[in-house]
mmCIF file of all heavy atoms in Angstrom:
data_model
loop_
_atom_site.group_PDB
_atom_site.id
_atom_site.type_symbol
_atom_site.label_atom_id
_atom_site.label_comp_id
_atom_site.label_asym_id
_atom_site.label_seq_id
_atom_site.Cartn_x
_atom_site.Cartn_y
_atom_site.Cartn_z
ATOM 1 N N LEU A 1 87.631 125.158 95.833
ATOM 2 C CA LEU A 1 87.939 125.951 97.029
ATOM 3 C C LEU A 1 89.423 126.332 97.030
ATOM 4 O O LEU A 1 90.128 126.144 98.016
ATOM 5 C CB LEU A 1 87.604 125.147 98.283
ATOM 6 C CG LEU A 1 86.178 124.604 98.374
ATOM 7 C CD1 LEU A 1 86.045 123.601 99.509
ATOM 8 C CD2 LEU A 1 85.191 125.749 98.556
ATOM 9 N N ALA A 2 89.863 126.897 95.935
ATOM 10 C CA ALA A 2 91.290 127.189 95.762
ATOM 11 C C ALA A 2 91.842 128.137 96.818
ATOM 12 O O ALA A 2 93.031 128.108 97.124
ATOM 13 C CB ALA A 2 91.528 127.759 94.371
ATOM 14 N N SER A 3 90.987 128.965 97.407
ATOM 15 C CA SER A 3 91.461 129.936 98.401
ATOM 16 C C SER A 3 91.475 129.363 99.817
ATOM 17 O O SER A 3 91.840 130.067 100.761
ATOM 18 C CB SER A 3 90.578 131.190 98.368
ATOM 19 O OG SER A 3 89.234 130.865 98.718
ATOM 20 N N SER A 4 91.084 128.108 99.980
ATOM 21 C CA SER A 4 90.987 127.495 101.304
ATOM 22 C C SER A 4 92.027 126.397 101.491
ATOM 23 O O SER A 4 92.411 125.722 100.540
ATOM 24 C CB SER A 4 89.594 126.883 101.518
ATOM 25 O OG SER A 4 88.591 127.875 101.435
ATOM 26 N N THR A 5 92.469 126.220 102.726
ATOM 27 C CA THR A 5 93.314 125.095 103.096
ATOM 28 C C THR A 5 92.394 123.960 103.526
ATOM 29 O O THR A 5 91.492 124.165 104.340
ATOM 30 C CB THR A 5 94.251 125.462 104.262
ATOM 31 O OG1 THR A 5 95.066 126.564 103.865
ATOM 32 C CG2 THR A 5 95.142 124.287 104.639
ATOM 33 N N LEU A 6 92.609 122.773 102.967
ATOM 34 C CA LEU A 6 91.733 121.643 103.276
ATOM 35 C C LEU A 6 92.337 120.760 104.362
ATOM 36 O O LEU A 6 93.540 120.500 104.380
ATOM 37 C CB LEU A 6 91.493 120.799 102.020
ATOM 38 C CG LEU A 6 90.828 121.503 100.831
ATOM 39 C CD1 LEU A 6 90.655 120.518 99.677
ATOM 40 C CD2 LEU A 6 89.484 122.105 101.229
ATOM 41 N N TYR A 7 91.474 120.294 105.258
ATOM 42 C CA TYR A 7 91.842 119.351 106.311
ATOM 43 C C TYR A 7 90.969 118.121 106.140
ATOM 44 O O TYR A 7 89.748 118.209 106.298
ATOM 45 C CB TYR A 7 91.606 119.966 107.694
ATOM 46 C CG TYR A 7 92.590 121.056 108.054
ATOM 47 C CD1 TYR A 7 92.475 122.332 107.517
ATOM 48 C CD2 TYR A 7 93.642 120.803 108.938
ATOM 49 C CE1 TYR A 7 93.381 123.338 107.833
ATOM 50 C CE2 TYR A 7 94.552 121.801 109.270
ATOM 51 C CZ TYR A 7 94.409 123.059 108.713
ATOM 52 O OH TYR A 7 95.315 124.047 109.039
ATOM 53 N N PHE A 8 91.580 116.991 105.808
ATOM 54 C CA PHE A 8 90.796 115.771 105.627
ATOM 55 C C PHE A 8 90.686 115.045 106.961
ATOM 56 O O PHE A 8 91.682 114.639 107.552
ATOM 57 C CB PHE A 8 91.425 114.853 104.577
ATOM 58 C CG PHE A 8 90.615 113.620 104.321
ATOM 59 C CD1 PHE A 8 89.426 113.699 103.603
ATOM 60 C CD2 PHE A 8 91.001 112.387 104.815
ATOM 61 C CE1 PHE A 8 88.653 112.564 103.382
ATOM 62 C CE2 PHE A 8 90.242 111.257 104.607
ATOM 63 C CZ PHE A 8 89.054 111.348 103.887
ATOM 64 N N ILE A 9 89.438 114.874 107.432
ATOM 65 C CA ILE A 9 89.168 114.312 108.756
ATOM 66 C C ILE A 9 88.730 112.858 108.617
ATOM 67 O O ILE A 9 87.793 112.550 107.875
ATOM 68 C CB ILE A 9 88.046 115.112 109.464
ATOM 69 C CG1 ILE A 9 88.393 116.608 109.511
ATOM 70 C CG2 ILE A 9 87.789 114.564 110.864
ATOM 71 C CD1 ILE A 9 87.199 117.508 109.862
ATOM 72 N N THR A 10 89.377 111.979 109.351
ATOM 73 C CA THR A 10 88.994 110.566 109.338
ATOM 74 C C THR A 10 89.333 109.942 110.688
ATOM 75 O O THR A 10 90.004 110.567 111.511
ATOM 76 C CB THR A 10 89.698 109.807 108.184
ATOM 77 O OG1 THR A 10 89.160 108.497 108.074
ATOM 78 C CG2 THR A 10 91.197 109.729 108.418
ATOM 79 N N GLY A 11 88.862 108.743 110.916
ATOM 80 C CA GLY A 11 89.165 108.063 112.168
ATOM 81 C C GLY A 11 90.628 107.657 112.220
ATOM 82 O O GLY A 11 91.237 107.344 111.193
ATOM 83 N N ALA A 12 91.192 107.658 113.424
ATOM 84 C CA ALA A 12 92.586 107.240 113.586
ATOM 85 C C ALA A 12 92.777 105.808 113.113
ATOM 86 O O ALA A 12 93.830 105.452 112.570
ATOM 87 C CB ALA A 12 93.008 107.389 115.048
ATOM 88 N N ASP A 13 91.742 104.962 113.288
ATOM 89 C CA ASP A 13 91.841 103.578 112.827
ATOM 90 C C ASP A 13 91.912 103.507 111.300
ATOM 91 O O ASP A 13 92.662 102.710 110.735
ATOM 92 C CB ASP A 13 90.676 102.738 113.361
ATOM 93 C CG ASP A 13 89.320 103.347 113.052
ATOM 94 O OD1 ASP A 13 89.226 104.588 112.948
ATOM 95 O OD2 ASP A 13 88.340 102.603 112.923
ATOM 96 N N ALA A 14 91.144 104.361 110.628
ATOM 97 C CA ALA A 14 91.205 104.408 109.164
ATOM 98 C C ALA A 14 92.542 104.964 108.704
ATOM 99 O O ALA A 14 93.132 104.488 107.724
ATOM 100 C CB ALA A 14 90.060 105.255 108.616
ATOM 101 N N LEU A 15 93.032 105.960 109.425
ATOM 102 C CA LEU A 15 94.306 106.570 109.063
ATOM 103 C C LEU A 15 95.460 105.582 109.174
ATOM 104 O O LEU A 15 96.442 105.655 108.433
ATOM 105 C CB LEU A 15 94.562 107.786 109.960
ATOM 106 C CG LEU A 15 95.586 108.803 109.467
ATOM 107 C CD1 LEU A 15 95.200 109.343 108.098
ATOM 108 C CD2 LEU A 15 95.708 109.943 110.464
ATOM 109 N N ALA A 16 95.315 104.625 110.085
ATOM 110 C CA ALA A 16 96.364 103.609 110.252
ATOM 111 C C ALA A 16 96.544 102.781 108.985
ATOM 112 O O ALA A 16 97.612 102.224 108.741
ATOM 113 C CB ALA A 16 96.022 102.698 111.430
ATOM 114 N N GLY A 17 95.499 102.716 108.165
ATOM 115 C CA GLY A 17 95.591 101.949 106.925
ATOM 116 C C GLY A 17 95.680 102.810 105.685
ATOM 117 O O GLY A 17 95.386 102.335 104.581
ATOM 118 N N ILE A 18 96.085 104.056 105.849
ATOM 119 C CA ILE A 18 96.042 104.991 104.713
ATOM 120 C C ILE A 18 96.936 104.554 103.562
ATOM 121 O O ILE A 18 96.676 104.866 102.402
ATOM 122 C CB ILE A 18 96.397 106.427 105.162
ATOM 123 C CG1 ILE A 18 96.036 107.421 104.047
ATOM 124 C CG2 ILE A 18 97.857 106.532 105.561
ATOM 125 C CD1 ILE A 18 96.121 108.864 104.440
ATOM 126 N N GLU A 19 97.972 103.791 103.848
ATOM 127 C CA GLU A 19 98.869 103.392 102.769
ATOM 128 C C GLU A 19 98.244 102.339 101.848
ATOM 129 O O GLU A 19 98.845 101.966 100.843
ATOM 130 C CB GLU A 19 100.202 102.927 103.345
ATOM 131 C CG GLU A 19 100.960 104.082 104.004
ATOM 132 C CD GLU A 19 102.341 103.708 104.499
ATOM 133 O OE1 GLU A 19 102.790 102.581 104.238
ATOM 134 O OE2 GLU A 19 102.964 104.557 105.151
ATOM 135 N N THR A 20 97.036 101.896 102.181
ATOM 136 C CA THR A 20 96.292 101.003 101.279
ATOM 137 C C THR A 20 95.332 101.800 100.393
ATOM 138 O O THR A 20 94.699 101.227 99.511
ATOM 139 C CB THR A 20 95.476 99.956 102.066
ATOM 140 O OG1 THR A 20 94.412 100.625 102.790
ATOM 141 C CG2 THR A 20 96.360 99.197 103.040
ATOM 142 N N TRP A 21 95.222 103.099 100.641
ATOM 143 C CA TRP A 21 94.287 103.933 99.880
ATOM 144 C C TRP A 21 94.830 104.190 98.486
ATOM 145 O O TRP A 21 96.043 104.271 98.263
ATOM 146 C CB TRP A 21 94.035 105.264 100.585
ATOM 147 C CG TRP A 21 93.345 105.156 101.901
ATOM 148 C CD1 TRP A 21 93.152 104.038 102.659
ATOM 149 C CD2 TRP A 21 92.793 106.237 102.658
ATOM 150 N NE1 TRP A 21 92.496 104.354 103.821
ATOM 151 C CE2 TRP A 21 92.264 105.692 103.848
ATOM 152 C CE3 TRP A 21 92.687 107.605 102.441
ATOM 153 C CZ2 TRP A 21 91.636 106.468 104.821
ATOM 154 C CZ3 TRP A 21 92.067 108.389 103.400
ATOM 155 C CH2 TRP A 21 91.544 107.822 104.573
ATOM 156 N N TYR A 22 93.923 104.389 97.563
ATOM 157 C CA TYR A 22 94.269 104.679 96.172
ATOM 158 C C TYR A 22 95.019 106.002 96.074
ATOM 159 O O TYR A 22 94.534 107.021 96.538
ATOM 160 C CB TYR A 22 92.974 104.708 95.346
ATOM 161 C CG TYR A 22 93.141 104.987 93.882
ATOM 162 C CD1 TYR A 22 93.856 104.108 93.062
ATOM 163 C CD2 TYR A 22 92.573 106.122 93.311
ATOM 164 C CE1 TYR A 22 93.986 104.355 91.699
ATOM 165 C CE2 TYR A 22 92.695 106.379 91.949
ATOM 166 C CZ TYR A 22 93.411 105.503 91.158
ATOM 167 O OH TYR A 22 93.546 105.745 89.818
ATOM 168 N N ARG A 23 96.219 105.990 95.501
ATOM 169 C CA ARG A 23 97.069 107.185 95.309
ATOM 170 C C ARG A 23 97.209 107.985 96.605
ATOM 171 O O ARG A 23 97.084 109.201 96.621
ATOM 172 C CB ARG A 23 96.501 108.042 94.185
ATOM 173 C CG ARG A 23 96.689 107.393 92.817
ATOM 174 C CD ARG A 23 95.778 107.948 91.752
ATOM 175 N NE ARG A 23 95.892 109.386 91.623
ATOM 176 C CZ ARG A 23 95.017 110.126 90.929
ATOM 177 N NH1 ARG A 23 93.970 109.553 90.346
ATOM 178 N NH2 ARG A 23 95.172 111.427 90.837
ATOM 179 N N TYR A 24 97.484 107.254 97.688
ATOM 180 C CA TYR A 24 97.527 107.899 99.003
ATOM 181 C C TYR A 24 98.609 108.963 99.115
ATOM 182 O O TYR A 24 98.466 109.926 99.870
ATOM 183 C CB TYR A 24 97.718 106.849 100.108
ATOM 184 C CG TYR A 24 99.112 106.256 100.187
ATOM 185 C CD1 TYR A 24 100.071 106.840 100.997
ATOM 186 C CD2 TYR A 24 99.451 105.130 99.448
ATOM 187 C CE1 TYR A 24 101.356 106.302 101.058
ATOM 188 C CE2 TYR A 24 100.717 104.588 99.518
ATOM 189 C CZ TYR A 24 101.671 105.180 100.326
ATOM 190 O OH TYR A 24 102.933 104.667 100.384
ATOM 191 N N GLU A 25 99.705 108.825 98.337
ATOM 192 C CA GLU A 25 100.784 109.803 98.433
ATOM 193 C C GLU A 25 100.321 111.202 98.041
ATOM 194 O O GLU A 25 100.821 112.206 98.558
ATOM 195 C CB GLU A 25 101.965 109.409 97.533
ATOM 196 C CG GLU A 25 102.516 108.023 97.803
ATOM 197 C CD GLU A 25 101.929 106.990 96.857
ATOM 198 O OE1 GLU A 25 100.776 107.177 96.408
ATOM 199 O OE2 GLU A 25 102.624 105.996 96.584
ATOM 200 N N GLU A 26 99.340 111.272 97.123
ATOM 201 C CA GLU A 26 98.850 112.572 96.655
ATOM 202 C C GLU A 26 97.900 113.224 97.650
ATOM 203 O O GLU A 26 97.707 114.447 97.613
ATOM 204 C CB GLU A 26 98.141 112.409 95.313
ATOM 205 C CG GLU A 26 99.037 111.908 94.193
ATOM 206 C CD GLU A 26 98.251 111.664 92.922
ATOM 207 O OE1 GLU A 26 97.458 112.555 92.532
ATOM 208 O OE2 GLU A 26 98.400 110.585 92.321
ATOM 209 N N ILE A 27 97.296 112.415 98.513
ATOM 210 C CA ILE A 27 96.317 112.965 99.454
ATOM 211 C C ILE A 27 96.959 114.011 100.349
ATOM 212 O O ILE A 27 96.398 115.089 100.578
ATOM 213 C CB ILE A 27 95.678 111.833 100.286
ATOM 214 C CG1 ILE A 27 94.808 110.948 99.387
ATOM 215 C CG2 ILE A 27 94.854 112.404 101.441
ATOM 216 C CD1 ILE A 27 94.233 109.724 100.078
ATOM 217 N N VAL A 28 98.164 113.721 100.848
ATOM 218 C CA VAL A 28 98.825 114.668 101.754
ATOM 219 C C VAL A 28 99.290 115.924 101.035
ATOM 220 O O VAL A 28 99.596 116.928 101.678
ATOM 221 C CB VAL A 28 100.011 114.007 102.485
ATOM 222 C CG1 VAL A 28 99.508 112.919 103.413
ATOM 223 C CG2 VAL A 28 101.021 113.441 101.498
ATOM 224 N N GLU A 29 99.340 115.886 99.713
ATOM 225 C CA GLU A 29 99.702 117.082 98.961
ATOM 226 C C GLU A 29 98.514 118.032 98.829
ATOM 227 O O GLU A 29 98.695 119.234 98.652
ATOM 228 C CB GLU A 29 100.212 116.696 97.572
ATOM 229 C CG GLU A 29 101.488 115.858 97.595
ATOM 230 C CD GLU A 29 101.884 115.382 96.218
ATOM 231 O OE1 GLU A 29 101.250 115.818 95.225
ATOM 232 O OE2 GLU A 29 102.819 114.575 96.116
ATOM 233 N N LEU A 30 97.312 117.483 98.937
ATOM 234 C CA LEU A 30 96.107 118.289 98.755
ATOM 235 C C LEU A 30 95.457 118.720 100.063
ATOM 236 O O LEU A 30 94.726 119.705 100.096
ATOM 237 C CB LEU A 30 95.077 117.511 97.927
ATOM 238 C CG LEU A 30 95.456 117.250 96.474
ATOM 239 C CD1 LEU A 30 94.437 116.322 95.821
ATOM 240 C CD2 LEU A 30 95.551 118.559 95.703
ATOM 241 N N ALA A 31 95.699 117.973 101.132
ATOM 242 C CA ALA A 31 95.021 118.278 102.398
ATOM 243 C C ALA A 31 95.878 117.863 103.581
ATOM 244 O O ALA A 31 96.646 116.896 103.492
ATOM 245 C CB ALA A 31 93.666 117.564 102.462
ATOM 246 N N HIS A 32 95.723 118.579 104.683
ATOM 247 C CA HIS A 32 96.310 118.152 105.950
ATOM 248 C C HIS A 32 95.461 116.999 106.480
ATOM 249 O O HIS A 32 94.231 117.068 106.443
ATOM 250 C CB HIS A 32 96.305 119.303 106.960
ATOM 251 C CG HIS A 32 97.169 120.457 106.568
ATOM 252 N ND1 HIS A 32 98.540 120.441 106.671
ATOM 253 C CD2 HIS A 32 96.852 121.668 106.063
ATOM 254 C CE1 HIS A 32 99.024 121.586 106.257
ATOM 255 N NE2 HIS A 32 98.023 122.358 105.876
ATOM 256 N N LEU A 33 96.095 115.957 106.977
ATOM 257 C CA LEU A 33 95.359 114.829 107.527
ATOM 258 C C LEU A 33 95.059 115.064 108.999
ATOM 259 O O LEU A 33 95.933 115.497 109.757
ATOM 260 C CB LEU A 33 96.164 113.541 107.387
ATOM 261 C CG LEU A 33 96.485 113.085 105.963
ATOM 262 C CD1 LEU A 33 97.328 111.823 106.002
ATOM 263 C CD2 LEU A 33 95.215 112.859 105.164
#
């Protein structure tokens, strides 16, 4: 979906632990949280 902007949707509680996610720094480069 190269022509689309991605928005990754998750629970605020899950987002609170995002720094435990695998390669989390790259996630914000690919999608708006």
Side-chain angles (χ1 to χ4, degrees):
L1 305 169
S3 62
S4 299
T5 301
L6 300 180
Y7 289 77
F8 183 73
I9 306 165
T10 189
D13 53 331
L15 199 57
I18 193 170
E19 293 185 6
T20 68
W21 295 14
Y22 180 63
R23 289 161 55 193
Y24 73 91
E25 304 96 331
E26 297 175 48
I27 292 175
V28 294
E29 297 174 7
L30 293 173
H32 295 284
L33 297 178

